[in-house]
Amino acid sequence: MIWEVAKREITIRSRTKSYRIITAFILLLAIAGPIAVKLWPGSDDARELAIGVVQDENFSADFEATAPLVFGNDYDLDIVPVEQSEVDELLAQDAFEVAVEPGPTLVWKSSAEPEVGLLIGASLQQSALVGRAGEQGMTPTELGELLAPIDLGERFVEDQGETSDIVITMAFIGLLMAFAMPQVFGQLAMMSVIEEKASRVIEVLLSHIRPRTLLAGKVVGISLLSVAQMVLVCGGMLASLLLTTDVDIPNSAYLFLPVLVICLLLGLVLYITLFSLVGSLISRQEDAAQVMMPVFLPIMGGYFVGTNAAFGNASSLLARILTYVPFTAPMLLPVRVARDAVSTPMMLVSLAGMALTVVLLIRLAGRAYEFTLLRTGSRIGWGELVQLLRSS
Amino acid sequence: MADRLVVEQLHKRFDDIVAVDGVDLRIEPGEILGFLGPNGAGKSTTMRSILGLVAYDSGSITLDGEPIGPTSRRSIGYMPQERGLYMRMKVHEHIAYIGRLAGLDSATANDRANRWVERVGLVERRDDLIQELSTGNQQRVQLAVSLVHEPSLLVLDEPFAGLDPVAVATLSDVMVEQMESGVSVIFSSHQLELVQDLTDRVTIIAAGRTRVTGTVTDLRNSSPDRNLEIVWQGEAPHWQPPDIAPLPDSPAGVSRFVVPSATNSADLIASASQAGSIASIRYEPPSLDQVFLEVVGQ
């Protein structure tokens, strides 16, 4: 029966224009985002740099050969041969950004770029070395062996962790999803309950199935619907990223992904259950804003503290506390794990707390549902609900 | 024949309001029972108690001799007073869905839904959304929903409210078909002429209590009153039974009276025929409407 209710939720909700439009819109953003970044003028990593070089037998030919090697892939060099008399005028006209005169001397238009200056200096140094080595009877191969870079290793006294920008980015995207999706799909569940109460279809349903079965089916169905949207959007974004950029995904990202997914799923189920319960307290959509407020507060709090933990202090007292509060943990835990601010045992404690809360909440909401679903008219207060549960 | 449903001394209170204060009713297999009462008498609460939608305070409800419970309730079909439908589901889809919730497998639920779509005359609207249907057609869907799992007891709360004559005829036909196939049907209605036409027996409740129960004929005959209507040839003479005034709304040439059932009708007719020339005369028990008003004290 749970699956029957879940199937209906999936079928009916996915059929609505609003769900389709929102999903298509988010998917479009997810796919188009990396493509747009790739196509955006100037977004290419290689910087175009024009260098005017006054023709001189002492260095210009060697400079043209060594500069691309020294500047590497970060620069797309355009070596422009110029006459000495043209340098100032062409610089003023922005024909190139810097010129190299015999001397050698760098000529700038008005201000110098230290990094470019250093790289040109290194290129000239290389050119000079090649020239000098030739004068000493050394072949370029011998010079290459002489100047071969050493293999410089690294070691750390303390464990540096494996935190990477990609993992933190994943955590932040997860934070945004943990913030937005429970609200969107939780409210969908709540509206579904209110609709059933208002139309009295609830009476027909409950003459066949138990309230907790209805609740479980609703939570399963809407959770699956949200997971489908999540998979679609994340899959689209990942495919678009892989096709447009050279992303090197570190092992730590694969280890982090299960934590993120579990937190997102537990958060979704927790809030969809909570929103469904809240929806059963009222009979009219007009009353929804009042009863939703207590549910929004932990979501908002978790989001703001989570954002600070992602980009600021991941070990603040508030962030540490909220990591173990089941209603904010879906937002805080992934971010702090990504920042390497939570030990593995404490991460398991937080996950267990969330899972236990979800189980207890579903049981509690199932019991509350039996009292609240058939009550119409005025809103049922939280105090009254507690009394009903106690008296049962 | 063993009773299908027996409700005994049902009581239910909502805070300070006594909704049901001792309702008794019973219904046999293959019977249609009219469940009557003024607004607020406790009909819907009693029906919802049968369905398990209301937890009653005391009393007992048995179905086929066993205390009613979640499993046995699956053999009940229910049609609530207000349209209990998902407006954004399609007609066939909705009927089949409720069939599956009632325990049918998918194939059977689909077959039954097809059959009921045809039976209630909605073949052409099979794949329309419920919200696109008229009130009458929505009520047809509601009827199909209550019957898709082939219940042994059908509970219909105000099923004729807001229906046009065609829909009333369809619903009445289906109820009679169900009765003939052995299904027990209990329904509430304020359209007492329909009740009189459809039911074997009626139970009338008021202020949460069962006041009378019995066949329509028995209830009418047991009334202490009789209706007397005399159509005169020409103008009505100044005649009236001893100590009984004519009813004020009698049309010209017609005299209407409510007389005690103990009155000797032959004496009355003889007396009237001496007063004037009689075209026709009717002497009969009160209608169900009159019995109803009499019982509920209005």
Side-chain angles (χ1 to χ4, degrees):
Chain A
M1 288 306 142
I2 291 175
W3 180 235
E4 286 297 339
V5 177
K7 257 195 320 190
R8 194 203 80 85
E9 290 293 340
I10 294 168
T11 310
I12 301 302
R13 304 293 154 197
S14 62
R15 193 188 284 162
T16 58
K17 274 186 190 168
S18 57
Y19 178 80
R20 289 181 177 185
I21 290 171
I22 288 171
T23 305
F25 181 69
I26 301 173
L27 183 62
L28 188 70
L29 281 182
I31 294 173
I35 295 173
V37 169
K38 177 76 176 173
L39 296 178
W40 195 261
S43 66
D44 198 327
D45 286 340
R47 176 189 164 185
E48 288 182 3
L49 180 68
I51 303 174
V53 179
V54 177
Q55 297 302 293
D56 182 277
E57 60 181 16
N58 289 329
F59 70 90
S60 58
D62 289 336
F63 178 78
E64 283 180 32
T66 56
L69 299 174
V70 172
F71 276 80
N73 293 330
D74 291 344
Y75 289 83
D76 183 7
L77 285 186
D78 181 17
I79 308 291
V80 185
V82 290
E83 296 295 330
Q84 178 69 59
S85 58
E86 299 172 330
V87 170
D88 290 6
E89 187 184 347
L90 289 173
L91 261 177
Q93 291 171 4
D94 295 323
F96 36 79
E97 288 158 64
V98 59
V100 186
E101 290 179 341
T105 304
L106 293 182
V107 188
W108 302 94
K109 185 178 177 183
S110 58
S111 59
E113 278 192 71
E115 185 183 332
V116 172
L118 282 172
L119 289 169
I120 292 175
S123 303
L124 291 168
Q125 184 71 32
Q126 286 283 88
S127 308
L129 273 175
V130 171
R132 288 172 198 161
E135 287 168 9
Q136 298 296 320
M138 195 179 279
T139 65
T141 308
E142 288 169 335
L143 178 65
E145 286 170 359
L146 188 68
L147 297 176
I150 59 166
D151 187 10
L152 182 64
E154 280 183 314
R155 73 180 184 86
F156 299 95
V157 176
E158 292 182 4
D159 183 11
Q160 298 298 299
E162 291 196 32
T163 303
S164 76
D165 288 346
I166 285 183
V167 174
I168 292 174
T169 305
M170 285 169 67
F172 185 64
I173 291 172
L175 173 65
L176 291 175
M177 291 169 87
F179 170 69
M181 294 187 80
Q183 292 186 65
V184 172
F185 288 96
Q187 288 186 62
L188 203 64
M190 187 180 75
M191 290 306 166
S192 165
V193 175
I194 296 172
E195 181 193 352
E196 284 169 353
K197 282 187 77 173
S199 72
R200 299 295 181 96
V201 73
I202 196 74
E203 294 191 1
V204 177
L205 300 177
L206 296 189
S207 66
H208 295 297
I209 56 174
R210 289 168 185 242
R212 65 185 61 181
T213 307
L214 184 63
L215 173 69
K218 200 174 287 297
V219 171
V220 169
I222 294 179
S223 297
L224 286 176
L225 202 62
S226 58
V227 168
Q229 192 185 67
M230 192 160 70
V231 169
L232 197 65
V233 171
C234 290
M237 185 189 279
L238 190 63
S240 179
L241 268 174
L242 292 174
L243 288 173
T244 54
T245 56
D246 299 323
V247 182
D248 183 20
I249 299 175
N251 282 339
S252 55
Y254 293 109
L255 294 172
F256 173 69
L257 193 62
V259 177
L260 182 61
V261 170
I262 291 170
C263 285
L264 282 174
L265 285 178
L266 288 173
L268 268 171
V269 173
L270 192 146
Y271 278 103
I272 288 172
T273 307
L274 207 52
F275 272 106
S276 301
L277 174 62
V278 160
S280 73
L281 299 178
I282 55 175
S283 307
R284 302 179 312 157
Q285 291 195 358
E286 296 92 310
D287 296 330
Q290 291 176 36
V291 291
M292 275 194 301
M293 192 50 72
V295 186
F296 276 136
L297 289 176
I299 297 178
M300 301 298 286
Y303 173 71
F304 286 120
V305 178
T307 305
N308 182 53
F311 301 113
N313 185 1
S315 297
S316 67
L317 179 64
L318 198 54
R320 277 185 285 160
I321 292 171
L322 295 186
T323 303
Y324 305 103
V325 175
F327 296 96
T328 49
M331 284 164 275
L332 263 299
L333 184 63
V335 167
R336 296 193 65 231
V337 168
R339 294 287 308 274
D340 205 28
V342 185
S343 66
T344 303
M346 295 315 283
M347 178 184 80
L348 294 175
V349 168
S350 177
L351 285 174
M354 273 189 272
L356 187 67
T357 304
V358 166
V359 172
L360 290 176
L361 188 66
I362 288 177
R363 288 174 66 96
L364 189 73
R367 276 177 63 198
Y369 236 46
E370 300 192 6
F371 301 112
T372 55
L373 272 185
L374 291 166
R375 276 276 297 272
T376 52
S378 60
R379 178 168 74 91
I380 301 168
W382 289 101
E384 190 183 354
L385 179 64
V386 171
Q387 275 185 347
L388 285 168
L389 287 170
R390 276 187 182 165
S391 66
S392 72
Chain B
M1 192 179 292
D3 290 321
R4 165 122 323 133
L5 176 79
V6 178
V7 176
E8 288 181 316
Q9 280 304 297
L10 197 72
H11 288 79
K12 175 64 188 177
R13 173 189 283 270
F14 294 107
D15 297 326
D16 296 334
I17 299 167
V18 178
V20 177
D21 191 23
V23 166
D24 296 293
L25 64 86
R26 63 177 187 78
I27 181 168
E28 293 177 357
E31 183 187 23
I32 298 180
L33 176 75
F35 190 41
L36 311 180
N39 291 332
K43 302 186 298 294
S44 292
T45 303
T46 302
M47 288 179 160
R48 295 169 88 203
S49 298
I50 295 169
L51 270 298
L53 302 174
V54 165
Y56 50 91
D57 299 330
S58 63
S60 70
I61 303 175
T62 59
L63 189 67
D64 293 323
E66 298 293 327
I68 200 162
T71 309
S72 56
R73 281 194 180 103
R74 285 191 149 188
S75 62
I76 302 177
Y78 175 53
M79 190 181 197
Q81 186 174 358
E82 292 163 70
R83 301 294 101 78
L85 298 168
Y86 284 113
M87 291 296 150
R88 284 196 285 269
M89 281 186 93
K90 295 173 182 175
V91 171
H92 177 273
E93 180 183 50
H94 200 310
I95 300 169
Y97 172 61
I98 299 296
R100 290 195 299 276
L101 288 189
L104 302 180
D105 63 68
S106 196
T108 309
N110 278 334
D111 287 347
R112 297 257 186 93
N114 279 331
R115 210 169 72 205
W116 278 107
V117 164
E118 191 177 345
R119 177 64 191 87
V120 298
L122 291 174
V123 174
E124 290 176 3
R125 313 298 301 270
R126 182 185 186 280
D127 294 317
D128 286 358
L129 295 177
I130 304 284
Q131 65 188 7
E132 293 166 354
L133 303 182
S134 65
T135 306
N137 282 341
Q138 286 181 7
Q139 192 75 324
R140 290 168 192 238
V141 177
Q142 189 82 72
L143 178 68
V145 160
S146 68
L147 286 162
V148 65
H149 59 299
E150 295 187 348
S152 61
L153 172 65
L154 197 52
V155 178
L156 312 174
D157 195 358
E158 300 283 357
F160 296 105
L163 295 192
D164 62 34
V166 179
V168 167
T170 305
L171 181 51
S172 302
D173 289 348
V174 171
M175 286 169 67
V176 172
E177 277 171 24
Q178 292 297 309
M179 177 201 72
E180 288 172 351
S181 66
V183 174
S184 306
V185 183
I186 173 169
F187 78 103
S188 63
S189 179
H190 293 300
Q191 289 154 281
L192 299 185
E193 282 185 18
L194 267 171
V195 175
Q196 193 165 322
D197 290 344
L198 280 170
T199 57
D200 303 306
R201 289 187 307 117
V202 296
T203 291
I204 301 176
I205 67 170
R209 287 185 191 170
T210 297
R211 297 302 167 101
V212 292
T213 188
T215 65
V216 175
T217 308
D218 286 347
L219 290 182
R220 290 177 66 200
N221 287 337
S222 66
S223 170
D225 298 324
R226 290 292 179 271
N227 291 336
L228 173 65
E229 182 184 271
I230 301 171
V231 180
W232 305 94
Q233 286 180 340
E235 197 177 335
H238 291 289
W239 175 86
Q240 61 186 68
D243 302 326
I244 294 174
L247 294 175
D249 58 347
S250 303
V254 176
S255 300
R256 287 176 178 159
F257 306 93
V258 174
V259 300
S261 59
T263 307
N264 187 322
S265 57
D267 289 349
L268 276 179
I269 293 166
S271 168
S273 57
Q274 285 176 359
S277 180
I278 297 172
S280 66
I281 191 162
R282 274 171 54 192
Y283 180 80
E284 60 186 10
S287 65
L288 186 58
D289 291 53
Q290 289 171 300
V291 172
F292 176 80
L293 292 173
E294 200 176 278
V295 168
V296 302
Q298 292 175 17

